[in-house]
Structures are given as structure tokens and as C-alpha cells.
Amino acid sequence: MFDEPILKEIAEKYNKTVAQIILRWNVQQGVIVIPKSVHRERMKENLDIWNFKIEDDDMERIGSLDKNCPSMLDTRKVSEVKRVYDYLNNPVLTSL
């Protein structure tokens, strides 16, 4: 999802990252978000979503991206389950 052209375009419009747009879109939808990162810069970035609002037309464009399946972790795919299982067994060598 981080390579989605529409999200990249919207992120550029608001001078934010795609991750910030995704977080802000969820917040504006009333979804409680719990961002996770072990990187200090990303933690700061995740908190920097309160100084802008995504306009209604951009909210609709983002909403139109729904593919009725998870973008980050689709457990219907054996490769995704294996990726998470491998991470749990060896978190230093693999990442989510």
C-alpha cells in the first residue's frame, strides 16, 4: 500500500508521508489506530498527523482503494503466514 500512486499523490499534496496519510485517513474515519515502530523518526512521524485534515474528495479517493482484502497482512495467503511465522522465529533476520 505504501507504493500506491493515489496515496503517494495525496501525501505529496499535504507534504506528508504515505504512512501519515493512511493513519490520518483512519483517524478521520473514527478508527482507533495504534501505530508501531522501533525507529525514533517513524515514531515522531506517526505522531505528526494532527496538524492537517484530509479533504473530503481525497478521503473518497482513498476509500475507493478498498480491495476487500488486507493490504498489509493477508492471512489467506500461505506466503504471508509463513513470513509472519518466520519473523516470530527469528525477528533479527526478517521483518514485517
Side-chain angles (χ1 to χ4, degrees):
M1 84 172 84
F2 295 103
D3 293 324
E4 169 59 50
I6 290 175
L7 293 176
K8 286 181 170 183
E9 179 186 324
I10 292 171
E12 187 175 315
K13 174 181 176 180
Y14 293 93
N15 197 29
K16 296 293 181 180
T17 65
V18 170
Q20 288 171 311
I21 294 299
I22 293 167
L23 288 171
R24 183 65 200 186
W25 183 83
N26 278 289
V27 166
Q28 284 183 223
Q29 294 282 53
V31 175
I32 297 170
V33 296
I34 305 173
K36 173 229 159 272
S37 181
V38 296
H39 304 283
R40 183 178 300 275
E41 286 307 310
R42 288 190 193 140
M43 288 178 196
K44 289 179 185 178
E45 181 182 296
N46 289 341
L47 290 172
D48 190 25
I49 64 166
W50 304 104
N51 58 354
F52 75 105
K53 181 180 178 192
I54 300 173
E55 297 171 4
D56 291 342
D57 58 328
D58 291 327
M59 290 289 289
E60 289 177 21
R61 289 178 68 204
I62 295 168
S64 74
L65 298 173
D66 185 3
K67 297 175 183 169
N68 291 320
C69 67
S71 296
M72 294 283 291
L73 178 60
D74 189 348
T75 56
R76 298 172 298 175
K77 295 181 180 177
V78 173
S79 61
E80 287 291 287
V81 174
K82 182 176 177 354
R83 183 173 65 94
V84 172
Y85 180 77
D86 289 346
Y87 174 78
L88 294 173
N89 285 328
N90 196 352
V92 177
L93 298 178
T94 61
S95 68
L96 294 173

